[in-house]
Amino acid sequence: MLPLRPVCGGIWRAAVHTVRMSRGAPPHRLLSSTCDGAPAALADADTIFALSSGHGRCGVAVVRVSGPASATALRCMAGFTQRLPPPRTALLRSITDPRSTEVLDRGLVLWFPAPRSFSGEDSVEFHIHGGPAVITAVLQALGSVPGLRPADAGEFTRRAFQAGKLGLTEASGEECVKHIVCLRVCVCADPLIVDVSVRDLQAEIERHLKDERRGERLRSGVQVVIAGAANAGKSSLLNKLCQRPAAIVSPIAGTTRDVVETALDLGGFPVLLSDTAGLRDSSDLVEREGVRRARERVEQADLTLVVVDSAHLPSEVDRAAAFLREQLRSVLPDTDRCLLVLNKADLLPEKQRQKLGTELRGVSGLPAVCLISCQTNEGLKDFLTVLHSSVKTLCGDPLFGAPTLTQARHRAHLQRCAAALAQYQRYRDTDLALAAEGVRLAVTSLGRITGRVGAEEILDIIFKDFCIGK
C-alpha cells in the first residue's frame, strides 16, 4: 500500500524517544562546562535560530542556527569539547540541554563554517525527531545559549540575500527579472529589440500562469473533498484515510453537519482532506447550513471524492451507470476532477461486485470508479493507488522540474505584469511614453515577487549587453 500517514504522525515510529523534562530540579548554572569557554562578547552577538523545516508534527525536524555564536551552540549542545566536526558532514550525536546536561534527543548535527553556508555566516543544523516535545525542548535550550535569539520571519533568507548567497531571481525562483530589466533599458533605445523581448516574456509568463496552480498545491496541499448523499459512508472513508476517528460515524443519516478537515501525506504529496455533510433537502436549519458549506467546499475542491452507497446500485450495468451519472450531477457539474467511490461493497453479492467493478470502469461519461468497503478494507489498496495518481497529476512530478509559482500573491503579480506588457504593445506605435510606462509597471509587479529592481541591476544590463564605455 502507498505510504499514507497523517501529518500529525511520525515517520520514525520505531524510534520514539521520550523526552524527560526537568520538574522541580535544583537550579543549574546557565551553561555547562562545554560552554564555559565562550567569549563574553558573543552574548550580545546577533545569532539567530529557528525551526526551518516547517511547523507541525513530522518525522524529522531541522533546527537551524546562523551567526557568530553558532559554534558555541554546537559545542554546548552536541558535546564538542575539543574541536568542531568536519564541515558539511552529518554526525549522530546526543543533543543536550546546556543548563542541565540532560539528553533531549539523539540526532544528526552539521557544521557549516562561513562563507560556505546558506546564509554566508557560520551555521549549524540540528536534525532531530519531529515530535513537538523534542522540538520545543531543543528550541528552549538554544535560547539559553549566550548570543542566540529566535529568528524573525524570513530572516535567514534575508541574511543570505544580503551576503550575496541569493540573487533577486534565486530568492523567489523567477528568471524573468533579467528580461524585464533589459526591456526597461531598451524601451527608449531600440523598440525593435523590445518587441521581440516582450513577446518572449509574455510567452514565459503565460507558461507560468498556466501551471494549473501546481506549485500552490505542493505548498499548501491538494484540496480533496469527500461529498455525496447522506449515510453513504463519507465519514468512515475519512477515518480510514487519516487512520484515526476524526469524524463521528453513525448509522443515523445527517450525523456530519459541518466540514471536518484533516491533513495527510499521501505518498509524499500534501493533502487537505475534508469530510462534508450529506447532500439532501432538509427542514433542519443547522443541517441546511451544513449542506450549503458542503457545496461551497466542493466548488473550491481540487479533487472531489463522490461517495455512493453500493447497496443502492441497480444490478444491471446500464442502469447502474445511469444511477451514478445522476449521483454525480447532484454533487457537482464538472466530472473532470472527481473519483467515484462505491462504498459498502461488502453488502453486495460477490458476483455483482466483480461484474460492477469490471464493467463500470469501461463506461463512458463516468470518472474513475473505485469499489471499496470501509468495513472490511476491501478495495482500499487499489483506491489509494488511484487517489495518489490523481493527486500526483494535480501537483506535477517534482522530479521533472519544480513548479515556479508556489504562492497566490506571486500569481497575482505575474498577472499584473502580463497586463502591463499588454499596455506596452497597445501603445507601442501611438504613444511611446505610455508604452514605457507599461514596461515600468511590469518591472514593479515583478519586483514585488523577486525584490527591488533598481539602478544596480539596470546598470549591470547596460554595461554587460550594450557595451557602453568600450
Side-chain angles (χ1 to χ4, degrees):
M1 186 175 291
L2 284 167
L4 173 69
R5 62 180 184 276
V7 167
C8 61
I11 299 174
W12 294 354
R13 296 189 184 276
V16 177
H17 283 231
T18 302
V19 181
R20 295 174 289 115
M21 306 299 291
S22 299
R23 296 183 180 178
H28 295 273
R29 290 181 301 140
L30 181 63
L31 296 176
S32 65
S33 59
T34 56
C35 297
D36 291 343
L42 287 180
D44 298 323
D46 196 20
T47 298
I48 58 176
F49 66 90
L51 177 66
S52 64
S53 56
H55 294 280
R57 299 176 189 174
C58 54
V60 179
V62 178
V63 176
R64 179 178 288 164
V65 183
S66 179
S70 297
T72 302
L74 187 58
R75 289 191 175 98
C76 290
M77 297 185 60
F80 291 100
T81 56
Q82 300 298 324
R83 63 178 63 182
L84 292 173
R88 294 167 295 281
T89 301
L91 297 177
L92 181 64
R93 305 285 292 190
S94 293
I95 299 171
T96 61
D97 188 327
R99 297 164 295 186
S100 63
T101 68
E102 182 178 28
V103 176
L104 305 177
D105 194 18
R106 273 184 66 80
L108 300 178
V109 297
L110 294 96
W111 164 240
F112 300 92
R116 296 182 62 187
S117 70
F118 171 77
S119 62
E121 305 173 312
D122 285 350
S123 297
V124 171
E125 287 185 1
F126 296 94
H127 294 229
I128 58 179
H129 289 88
V134 175
I135 295 172
T136 300
V138 171
L139 292 176
Q140 289 178 348
L142 284 169
S144 71
V145 178
L148 269 67
R149 65 167 176 82
D152 296 329
E155 190 168 4
F156 283 101
T157 302
R158 184 170 70 247
R159 290 190 177 198
F161 178 75
Q162 291 171 343
K165 290 293 181 176
L166 294 180
L168 287 175
T169 55
E170 291 172 301
S172 265
E174 293 294 332
E175 294 288 339
C176 301
V177 172
K178 179 179 178 181
H179 302 290
I180 203 71
V181 173
C182 184
L183 291 179
R184 191 171 175 183
V185 173
C186 296
V187 69
C188 296
D190 193 340
L192 294 177
I193 297 178
V194 177
D195 290 342
V196 176
S197 297
V198 164
R199 286 194 297 269
D200 292 343
L201 186 56
Q202 283 180 317
E204 181 75 8
I205 291 176
E206 189 69 16
R207 183 178 66 82
H208 289 311
L209 292 176
K210 286 184 176 180
D211 70 344
E212 297 183 340
R213 296 179 51 251
R214 287 189 175 92
E216 294 166 53
R217 293 190 186 106
L218 275 176
R219 178 185 176 90
S220 304
V222 179
Q223 302 282 338
V224 178
V225 174
I226 304 174
N231 211 27
K234 300 183 297 299
S235 297
S236 297
L237 179 59
L238 175 81
N239 292 344
K240 281 293 180 183
L241 291 177
C242 68
Q243 300 173 4
R244 63 185 177 89
I248 297 173
V249 176
S250 166
I252 302 173
T255 302
T256 302
R257 297 193 173 192
D258 205 349
V259 177
V260 179
E261 288 185 343
T262 185
L264 296 178
D265 181 319
L266 179 62
F269 293 99
V271 170
L272 185 63
L273 186 65
S274 301
D275 180 26
T276 59
L279 301 178
R280 66 174 183 174
D281 295 330
S282 175
S283 59
D284 188 301
L285 292 177
V286 177
E287 187 173 0
R288 282 162 58 185
E289 174 61 20
V291 171
R292 186 195 67 78
R293 295 186 182 189
R295 294 197 180 280
E296 181 181 62
R297 191 57 64 95
V298 168
E299 291 178 359
Q300 300 168 353
D302 297 313
L303 180 66
T304 303
L305 306 181
V306 181
V307 182
V308 179
D309 187 342
S310 296
H312 297 161
L313 282 173
S315 56
E316 298 83 3
V317 173
D318 291 341
R319 291 179 57 200
F323 174 80
L324 292 175
R325 292 190 189 98
E326 183 62 30
Q327 292 291 310
L328 286 171
R329 282 193 293 268
S330 69
V331 176
L332 72 171
D334 184 7
T335 60
D336 289 341
R337 290 183 176 174
C338 73
L339 300 178
L340 258 176
V341 183
L342 309 186
N343 192 22
K344 305 183 183 180
D346 56 298
L347 300 181
L348 299 178
E350 185 175 353
K351 288 185 178 180
Q352 186 180 355
R353 287 204 307 268
Q354 294 176 351
K355 181 179 179 181
L356 288 174
T358 302
E359 297 185 11
L360 283 177
R361 291 185 177 92
V363 174
S364 62
L366 290 181
V369 178
C370 300
L371 201 64
I372 71 166
S373 170
C374 291
Q375 183 71 26
T376 65
N377 294 333
E378 178 184 349
L380 282 177
K381 182 177 180 180
D382 292 338
F383 165 67
L384 283 175
T385 301
V386 174
L387 179 59
H388 177 266
S389 177
S390 299
V391 169
K392 183 177 179 179
T393 300
L394 290 170
C395 291
D397 191 344
L399 297 178
F400 294 93
T404 55
L405 297 178
T406 59
Q407 298 187 40
R409 69 178 184 89
H410 291 174
R411 184 175 302 277
H413 291 318
L414 272 189
Q415 289 169 339
R416 295 189 188 100
C417 182
L421 292 176
Q423 175 179 322
Y424 164 82
Q425 290 187 322
R426 197 161 53 245
Y427 293 105
R428 184 242 185 254
D429 295 325
T430 58
D431 193 324
L432 190 58
L434 287 176
E437 176 65 8
V439 173
R440 188 193 68 80
L441 292 174
V443 171
T444 301
S445 297
L446 204 59
R448 294 184 185 278
I449 301 175
T450 60
R452 185 180 65 87
V453 180
E456 290 297 325
E457 287 83 0
I458 294 175
L459 287 175
D460 285 344
I461 295 294
I462 290 175
F463 283 99
K464 178 180 177 182
D465 294 342
F466 290 89
C467 304
I468 294 178
K470 263 195 175 179

